[in-house]
Amino acid sequence: MNTPEWLKPGICGAAIGAGFLGVVGFTWGGRVTGCGASNDRAMAMSRDAA
């Protein structure tokens, strides 16, 4: 597939931005992947709310 020359920087920028967003979301944003971590947070929040 022949892509225009002006499109390549946009594709690279989108890939870098997606990687950065993933790293920031999982570290600073507080996202979790395991059920154990999310369950621990839910239990802590329910204890704090009561």
Side-chain angles (χ1 to χ4, degrees):
M1 181 170 105
N2 294 333
T3 57
E5 194 64 36
W6 56 267
L7 188 58
K8 291 178 183 177
I11 292 172
C12 288
I16 292 169
F20 180 74
L21 187 62
V23 168
V24 169
F26 279 102
T27 55
W28 181 73
R31 297 191 182 215
V32 294
T33 57
C35 293
S38 59
N39 189 31
D40 292 344
R41 287 189 182 182
M43 295 300 284
M45 288 174 66
S46 66
R47 280 193 304 266
D48 292 343

